Amino acid sequence: MNYCCYFCQKIFASTILVSALMILNVKAGMTIEQLNFKDGSLSNCITTLAKKHNWQTIDTIKKLQCHGMHIESLEGLEALTSLEYLSLYNNEIKTSDLTTLNNLYYLNIANNKLQSIKINGLSQLKTLYLCKNKLK
């Protein structure tokens, strides 16, 4: 019975992995207009930068700098898997899960209201600023 359970778990895990890869492949071709952010300030920042730099698809977004824009939520940012540089200094962010941003080498999320942050698995990360937060 243990072999059956182990085998079923492996099939289930493989199915989830394949589904996740299919979702990521679809996201790679997404246009900027198809992005959906919970936070209007984050959306405005990305839209403004996209126009300035002529970004068309999400895989062209490598660097985001959105300082002092009263951003509260990063929900939706997980789609930007090509992101390498992220600076969100001086906002209102309380929680953050950036684990899908595997290409990040620079992260500045200082001077926010962070109580928790998930950055595990970001093997490219070289620079991290977290000061002036409420981390426990």
Side-chain angles (χ1 to χ4, degrees), residues 51-64:
K51 288 177 184 174
K52 179 180 178 181
H53 298 290
N54 199 29
W55 297 331
Q56 300 298 317
T57 59
I58 64 170
D59 56 331
T60 58
I61 302 174
K62 306 289 185 194
K63 179 179 180 178
L64 280 182

Side-chain angles (χ1 to χ4, degrees), residues 37-106:
F37 296 101
K38 181 179 179 180
D39 191 285
S41 296
L42 178 61
S43 182
N44 288 340
C45 178
I46 293 172
T47 301
T48 301
L49 289 171
K51 288 177 184 174
K52 179 180 178 181
H53 298 290
N54 199 29
W55 297 331
Q56 300 298 317
T57 59
I58 64 170
D59 56 331
T60 58
I61 302 174
K62 306 289 185 194
K63 179 179 180 178
L64 280 182
Q65 183 171 317
C66 304
H67 295 174
M69 299 189 72
H70 308 288
I71 296 168
E72 295 180 11
S73 172
L74 299 182
E75 193 173 316
L77 196 66
E78 66 276 359
L80 303 182
T81 56
S82 296
L83 203 56
E84 298 173 352
Y85 182 104
L86 179 60
S87 189
L88 299 167
Y89 176 80
N90 196 28
N91 281 289
E92 309 290 326
I93 303 161
K94 292 181 182 176
T95 62
S96 176
D97 182 350
L98 303 172
T99 54
T100 62
L101 306 180
N102 296 320
N103 293 310
L104 271 187
Y105 68 84
Y106 179 95

